[in-house]
Amino acid sequence: GICMFARTPEDAPLLQHALTAGQMTFLALVRGIPRAKGIIRRPLKEGGRMLDATSRYTRKTVIAGHGLLAVRPAEARLHQVRRHLAAISHPVVGDARYGNPPTNRRFEETATLDRPFLHCSKLELELDGKATVVTAAMPEDLALVIKRLGAR
């Protein structure tokens, strides 16, 4: 996925602000087939407080009875995408914390998935007054899972 680093300690607050104000898109393979699109509004506990959180998703395709989603969290809460998808009974495949153990085992055995199928594919933010879009291709290990499941 996408990782960004500040070049200097002085740049860190500026980058943090840009990331907070920006928009991330994640690709997630989830258990089962969710609706074609949806909005998940569910507060999440963070630091002992309940904080508002909203995530929007669009189903891109169905692969072997599971949905490949594009998910856009409105906030950047801890594990927001994973927690929200689990809350609607469509956890991320391979997610040991919020996922479904039998599904995770099946994907590990049949498709060699050894981590959550969650990938930050796009980041839209403003840097130095310019709109910036950063994209990242799906990593080889996740692309191989899709291939092994018979999808293109």
Side-chain angles (χ1 to χ4, degrees), residues 85-97:
L85 292 172
I88 63 166
S89 299
H90 294 290
V92 174
V93 172
D95 188 341
R97 178 174 282 178

Side-chain angles (χ1 to χ4, degrees), residues 3-64:
C3 292
M4 297 194 76
F5 300 91
R7 289 183 185 219
T8 67
E10 295 77 29
D11 291 338
L14 299 172
L15 180 58
Q16 179 62 38
H17 175 73
L19 290 169
T20 302
Q23 181 64 60
M24 291 181 272
T25 302
F26 293 86
L27 290 178
L29 183 65
V30 299
R31 181 175 188 261
I33 304 171
R35 290 181 292 170
K37 62 182 178 176
I39 300 172
I40 306 164
R41 290 185 183 95
R42 182 180 210 101
L44 298 172
K45 191 172 188 176
E46 201 169 296
R49 299 179 14 221
M50 294 302 286
L51 302 172
D52 290 337
T54 302
S55 298
R56 300 178 189 305
Y57 71 86
T58 303
R59 190 179 68 223
K60 305 303 265 177
T61 191
V62 174
I63 303 168

Side-chain angles (χ1 to χ4, degrees), residues 64-146:
H66 300 280
L68 181 65
L69 308 181
V71 185
R72 294 177 64 125
E75 300 79 17
R77 309 281 184 233
L78 182 66
H79 302 171
Q80 179 171 335
V81 172
R82 295 165 57 197
R83 292 162 71 186
H84 270 172
L85 292 172
I88 63 166
S89 299
H90 294 290
V92 174
V93 172
D95 188 341
R97 178 174 282 178
Y98 306 106
N100 179 271
T103 300
N104 294 348
R105 253 189 319 280
R106 185 171 70 83
F107 272 80
E108 186 173 4
E109 292 167 2
T110 62
T112 65
L113 180 65
D114 61 355
R115 67 181 180 100
F117 195 115
L118 185 64
H119 169 65
C120 183
S121 62
K122 186 175 182 182
L123 179 59
E124 302 168 70
L125 67 161
E126 189 173 309
L127 292 172
D128 295 328
K130 298 177 192 169
T132 303
V133 177
V134 181
T135 59
M138 187 175 293
E140 287 183 33
D141 66 326
L142 298 183
L144 185 58
V145 168
I146 289 174

